């Protein structure tokens, strides 16, 4: 794993884009693994700016990490809506080539199986990740098996509270979600984990210096042959 420490959030987004842009330039029909949350927003702004300067996403496909149970297309807090609003509607990607787990499926287990089948057939050239304050990646909370594939997750109390900022109140945050598993994430040819801000400092420390263990799901990326952790100074503070 290559550890890249940058000054601030802006530098983190630009550094991430440098890696993503290289993939997109090398392969017009690249397959991207995408994340939601606050951290990748700067990267998505850079990707939109790249499109405005002439980079095309027409042949690109994408697979998102996760979706809340019960939410999807048309729901303001769904990850599908987040992706449409923050990236897809600003670039020339074919929306039918963008994939988010089907949180609205009445049979969540079957939604997991179909997502998993699609992932198996479509290896991501690069996987973007944010990190939770508890070291989670996607909705893979501490304790999740490194061999896990797409599954239904009961969200931890911590994660519900962290995500309440996107809802009117914590009670509105769905308590379950569909998430890619850690094995799916690790199948990507390259993995880029972003960490920004002081509340991520402990998780970054555990990821870099701790034991490689499901206790800190993000630590798994140290075992990937082509992975990066891009942290701003605040998130890397405990590493000095
Ligand atoms: C998002 C996701 C989550 C977030 C993580 C960090 O699709 O799966 O693991 O990446 O919770 O969230 P932010 O970036 O909002 O701090």
């Amino acid at each position: 794993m290559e550890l890249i420490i940058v000054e601030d959030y802006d530098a983190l987004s630009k550094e991430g884009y440098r890696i993503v842009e290289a993939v997109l330039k090398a392969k017009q029909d690249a397959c991207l693994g995408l994340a939601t949350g606050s951290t990748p927003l700067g990267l998505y702004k850079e990707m939109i700016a790249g499109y405005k300067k002439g980079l095309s996403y027409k042949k690109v496909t994408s697979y998102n990490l996760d979706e809340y149970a019960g939410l999807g297309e048309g729901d303001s807090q769904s990850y599908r809506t987040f992706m449409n609003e923050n990236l897809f509607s600003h670039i020339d990607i074919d929306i039918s080539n963008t994939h988010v787990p089907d949180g609205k499926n009445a049979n969540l287990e079957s939604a997991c199986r179909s997502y998993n089948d699609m992932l198996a057939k479509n290896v991501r050239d690069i996987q973007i990740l944010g990190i939770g304050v508890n070291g989670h990646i996607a909705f893979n909370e501490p304790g999740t098996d490194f061999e896990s594939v797409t599954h239904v997750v009961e969200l931890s109390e911590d994660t519900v509270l962290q995500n309440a900022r996107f809802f009117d109140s914590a009670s509105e945050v769905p308590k379950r979600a569909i998430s890619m598993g850690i094995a799916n994430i690790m199948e990507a040819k390259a993995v880029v984990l972003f960490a920004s801000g002081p509340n991520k400092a402990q998780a970054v420390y555990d990821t870099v210096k701790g034991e490689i263990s499901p206790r800190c799901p993000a630590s798994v990326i140290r075992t990937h042959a082509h992975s990066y952790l891009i942290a701003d100074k605040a998130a890397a503070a405990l590493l000095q």
Side-chain angles (χ1 to χ4, degrees):
M1 180 185 82
E2 190 179 333
L3 172 64
I4 304 173
I5 300 176
V6 294
E7 190 60 34
D8 54 19
Y9 181 68
D10 188 47
L12 168 140
S13 304
K14 291 200 161 72
E15 189 62 27
Y17 181 61
R18 193 182 58 77
I19 297 168
V20 172
E21 185 187 32
V23 171
L24 292 167
K25 284 196 165 158
K27 198 174 171 195
Q28 282 191 341
D29 60 348
C31 183
L32 308 179
L34 300 175
T36 58
S38 338
T39 316
L41 284 173
L43 167 69
Y44 296 158
K45 288 208 172 90
E46 296 293 330
M47 288 171 70
I48 295 165
Y51 163 67
K52 289 185 177 153
K53 285 187 207 142
L55 190 70
S56 175
Y57 293 81
K58 271 203 172 99
K59 297 184 179 160
V60 168
T61 52
S62 73
Y63 289 85
N64 260 79
L65 288 171
D66 38 23
E67 178 62 279
Y68 288 116
L71 299 187
E73 189 79 56
D75 296 315
S76 59
Q77 270 110 355
S78 71
Y79 285 175
R80 162 51 78 185
T81 299
F82 178 99
M83 290 310 300
N84 289 352
E85 287 180 354
N86 291 297
L87 183 62
F88 301 149
S89 65
H90 304 279
I91 58 178
D92 63 348
I93 199 165
D94 178 345
I95 201 78
S96 66
N97 288 337
T98 68
H99 305 87
V100 178
D102 181 11
K104 280 193 157 169
N105 194 318
N107 185 340
L108 290 178
E109 295 298 340
S110 137
C112 290
R113 278 193 297 276
S114 7
Y115 206 66
N116 223 33
D117 290 347
M118 283 198 285
L119 294 176
K121 290 184 201 128
N122 297 278
V123 175
R124 277 74 64 221
D125 291 294
I126 189 161
Q127 176 66 57
I128 303 304
L129 295 172
I131 187 168
V133 291
N134 61 4
H136 74 211
I137 47 176
F139 275 128
N140 297 294
E141 304 285 7
T144 309
D145 203 306
F146 284 172
E147 299 307 315
S148 56
V149 294
T150 311
H151 59 295
V152 180
V153 184
E154 303 289 331
L155 302 187
S156 74
E157 231 170 90
D158 260 11
T159 300
V160 169
L161 290 177
Q162 287 296 325
N163 290 4
R165 64 203 146 113
F166 299 112
F167 291 78
D168 288 336
S169 74
S171 63
E172 284 182 26
V173 183
K175 304 294 178 287
R176 292 196 304 162
I178 294 179
S179 176
M180 264 193 214
I182 294 180
N184 303 118
I185 289 170
M186 293 292 283
E187 271 160 19
K189 293 181 191 156
V191 174
V192 185
L193 173 64
F194 291 95
S196 173
N199 64 333
K200 302 294 173 67
Q202 186 63 50
V204 167
Y205 179 86
D206 294 343
T207 300
V208 178
K209 302 269 194 202
E211 175 193 0
I212 297 175
S213 139
R215 277 201 290 272
C216 176
S219 65
V220 74
I221 78 156
R222 277 159 56 198
T223 67
H224 194 288
H226 189 185
S227 61
Y228 305 84
L229 166 54
I230 309 180
D232 61 19
K233 277 195 168 156
L238 299 177
L239 297 177
Q240 318 300 331

